Structures are given as C-alpha cells and as structure tokens.
Amino acid sequence: MPEHVSVYQLLGVTLLVLVAFAWTAGLAYLLRHGRHEAVAWRVDHGLPAFPRQRRAAPGHESVELTPAEKDAFAGLVRQLGGGR
C-alpha cells in the first residue's frame, strides 16, 4: 500500500469501482431483458391520452365528378405540369 494514500481513500475508490460495475451490469440487464417487456406493455396498454385505434381501415370513399369538374381538374394538372 502506498504511503501517501489513506485507507479511506482506498476504500472510497474500491466502493466507486464496485458501484460503477453494479450500475453497468444493471444497465446491461435492463437493456437486454427490459426491451421485450416494454414493447409488450406498450402494445397491451397503449398511451392513455390517445383513443385506441381501429384495427380495420375504413372503406374507401369516392365522389363522381361532373364533366365541368373533370375539365377543370385536367386544366389544373396541365398548368402545374408545365403543359405536358
């Protein structure tokens, strides 16, 4: 043991190394094993502030355009497309 280092300093360094090792091991464990549990919890519970989403999509809606609307839309497409 070096002469200029007290017993308390050695104990402090030893304690810090042990705490750092325990923290690293705990973090590695949580990252490996907690990911699946967190995803499963999120799927089961969802976010409480948002309403649950429907599983099936709504039916497609369509509206038949009049000939004047079709012509206006075609003119708009030609105008935006640069006359192509």
Side-chain angles (χ1 to χ4, degrees):
M1 178 161 82
E3 296 175 8
H4 63 280
V5 177
S6 71
V7 174
Y8 296 118
Q9 288 175 329
L10 286 176
L11 287 175
V13 169
T14 305
L15 180 67
L16 283 175
V17 168
L18 288 175
V19 167
F21 177 75
W23 183 81
T24 305
L27 184 64
Y29 176 80
L30 285 176
L31 288 177
R32 281 192 194 136
H33 299 289
R35 190 174 299 153
H36 181 277
E37 295 167 2
V39 168
W41 183 87
R42 238 180 280 138
V43 168
D44 291 341
H45 293 92
L47 293 173
F50 295 111
R52 279 198 161 303
Q53 292 183 352
R54 294 182 287 187
R55 296 288 180 195
H60 293 298
E61 296 180 9
S62 64
V63 176
E64 192 64 35
L65 297 177
T66 64
E69 290 172 331
K70 287 180 183 179
D71 290 340
F73 183 72
L76 180 63
V77 169
R78 276 193 301 275
Q79 182 182 7
L80 293 177
R84 290 186 258 169

